[in-house]
Amino acid sequence: MKQQLETIQKKAREALEAAAAPEELEALRVRFLGKKGELTAVLKQMGSLSPEERPAMGQLANSVRAGIEAELESRMEKLSAMALDLKLRSEALDVTMPGAEVPLGHKHPMSIVLDEMKEIFIGMGFDVVDGPEVELESYNFTRLNTPEGHPARDRQDTFYTTEDDNVLLRTQTSPMQIRVMENRKPPIRIISPGRVYRKDEVDATHSPMFHQMEGLVIDKGITMADLKGSLTQMVKLLYGEESVVRFRPHHFPFTEPSCEVDVRCFKCEGAGEVSGRTCPTCHGEGWIEILGAGMVHPTVLEGCGIDPDEYSGFAFGCGVERMTMNRFAINDLRLIFENDVRFLNQF
Ligand code: PHE
């Protein structure tokens, strides 16, 4: 019996030493100390011992049990210390490590240029106003001195949304001239950027949707000199002091006189060719058209209840895509809408 107890003690010690998890320790406790455990089995044989042998054996059995219990406990402590150590190690944080990079977006090139244009005009005392893209025919055409029968009103040119052609997607931001003159008294100084629509096929320079920025100034004594001064200033602030502008006579139904404004081509500096070839940017023109403008037609002023003998003003409308393409030397309009990050990342 003594030998049996010593064997149990030895086996238990070895098994406990090898145990690697708390569950294993529990299994060993059951195996050795449990009700049906090995030690219990030996103790059950105590009855067969002589009364002289019993105390010594009892003592030995107790010390074996105490030994296994103590061993279990210390092993358990060791295992949980190891587990904690492992956990701490795996969760360790190196505060000197560089942080994960969060990709940061930035403004679209169109927004960059639009914001710059707004900044320039706000600096000259203009308000920025917003208007509807679905517009009444009368604001888009009739009240802009573009009566029925005018070729600009061709169904091929615009998107009409009703059978009677009374409602359309605006083809220009100029209806904002009427909306503002209806609602404000002179002096008026506004710009109004926004989307406009025309029935165009998509190619490198056309899209059925594009952006314009309208400008309107109405006050006493406004002349063509104010128009030229303001627009020249805009071009120089946007494209640089060295840029050259040209005012070319033109016709718009709602302005008189009217003009178009060109900037000298940045690529060929007006020569029309680069190293013996036709300039790819201005197609040999030497100039790039950026906007239409003119003195507000007296008929338009009258239609909005403004006396043309007392007040005069100028208006302009420029293509924001065109301004952006010139500003950043972008050669294809479609790049602006495709949202390819390889393109957008360059700004
Ligand atoms: N609305 C005209 C266009 O789309 C531009 C323009 C605006 C011309 C204001 C004169 C005055 O071509």
Side-chain angles (χ1 to χ4, degrees):
M1 189 168 208
K2 184 166 179 250
Q3 203 149 34
Q4 277 180 311
L5 287 171
E6 279 164 358
T7 312
I8 289 175
Q9 191 168 36
K10 192 163 163 272
K11 275 201 298 186
R13 195 167 289 154
E14 282 169 6
L16 283 169
E17 206 102 303
E23 309 82 70
E24 282 177 49
L25 288 181
E26 175 57 17
L28 290 174
R29 194 189 61 75
V30 173
R31 175 176 153 198
F32 292 107
L33 308 179
K35 265 193 206 132
K36 291 177 183 159
E38 293 185 22
L39 187 64
T40 319
V42 176
L43 289 177
K44 277 183 186 151
Q45 300 164 26
M46 289 287 262
S48 64
L49 293 178
S50 66
E52 302 83 68
E53 285 174 308
R54 245 178 254 166
M57 263 329 127
Q59 226 165 30
L60 181 59
N62 278 340
S63 91
V64 167
R65 165 178 286 276
I68 293 177
E69 276 170 353
E71 196 101 347
L72 264 170
E73 198 167 319
S74 84
R75 190 69 195 150
M76 186 60 112
E77 269 167 28
K78 208 170 191 172
L79 278 183
S80 47
M82 274 163 60
L84 180 64
D85 189 49
L86 203 71
K87 189 164 183 271
L88 287 177
R89 223 180 288 219
S90 73
E91 288 174 1
L93 183 69
D94 179 357
V95 292
T96 66
M97 240 161 70
E101 206 179 318
V102 181
L104 208 58
H106 61 77
K107 279 196 271 186
H108 188 279
M110 282 278 287
S111 303
I112 296 174
V113 171
L114 188 58
D115 285 352
E116 286 174 354
M117 295 206 290
K118 284 190 202 165
E119 194 92 343
I120 290 168
F121 283 104
I122 289 168
M124 295 194 242
F126 286 63
D127 283 350
V128 182
V129 298
D130 199 15
E133 289 169 33
V134 179
E135 185 54 282
L136 292 173
E137 169 280 321
S138 59
Y139 284 86
N140 197 84
F141 291 130
T142 313
R143 299 185 65 184
L144 284 168
N145 202 26
T146 311
E148 224 165 304
H150 192 283
R153 304 172 63 134
D154 196 312
R155 268 193 161 273
Q156 296 308 309
D157 287 340
T158 48
F159 295 92
Y160 288 88
T161 66
T162 55
E163 272 307 316
D164 62 7
D165 292 356
N166 275 336
V167 184
L168 44 75
L169 296 184
R170 65 179 180 187
T171 62
Q172 48 188 356
T173 44
S174 298
M176 285 308 291
Q177 293 180 29
I178 308 297
R179 288 186 176 273
V180 169
M181 283 191 276
E182 265 184 350
N183 290 307
R184 296 192 183 196
K185 293 221 171 313
I188 291 169
R189 273 201 293 262
I190 61 98
I191 51 167
S192 187
R195 276 182 281 266
V196 300
Y197 303 82
R198 292 184 195 174
K199 273 195 175 171
D200 276 329
E201 299 286 331
V202 180
D203 67 19
T205 53
H206 293 86
S207 154
M209 186 284 294
F210 59 102
H211 296 75
Q212 283 191 338
M213 191 182 81
E214 195 75 9
L216 177 70
V217 173
I218 307 284
D219 204 349
K220 287 179 180 156
I222 298 290
T223 69
M224 196 81 184
D226 299 298
L227 179 158
K228 288 184 76 174
S230 307
L231 295 178
T232 305
Q233 179 73 351
M234 174 194 80
V235 169
K236 289 195 180 282
L237 288 174
L238 201 61
Y239 293 139
E241 193 55 41
E242 68 288 355
S243 46
V244 183
V245 285
R246 155 175 105 168
F247 291 78
R248 196 166 27 79
H250 198 72
H251 170 263
F252 295 104
F254 41 92
T255 49
E256 181 58 34
S258 305
C259 62
E260 280 189 334
V261 178
D262 303 335
V263 283
R264 201 169 69 187
C265 179
F266 310 99
K267 181 95 181 165
C268 63
E269 294 185 329
E273 53 177 49
V274 196
S275 34
R277 288 166 187 242
T278 307
C279 175
T281 303
C282 64
H283 306 291
E285 293 285 323
W287 298 89
I288 302 166
E289 180 210 321
I290 53 167
L291 59 88
M295 301 306 293
V296 180
H297 200 290
T299 307
V300 175
L301 290 175
E302 253 164 20
C304 295
I306 294 175
D307 182 356
D309 290 330
E310 197 179 347
Y311 291 101
S312 58
F314 70 86
F316 61 92
C318 56
V320 184
E321 279 80 1
R322 187 76 64 95
M323 302 294 278
T324 305
M325 288 169 76
N326 289 340
R327 171 70 212 277
F328 294 121
I330 298 167
N331 61 3
D332 194 317
L333 174 68
R334 289 166 289 199
L335 286 166
I336 289 179
F337 300 117
E338 277 166 357
N339 285 334
D340 185 331
V341 287
R342 289 169 302 180
F343 167 74
L344 296 176
N345 275 341
Q346 298 173 39
F347 299 94

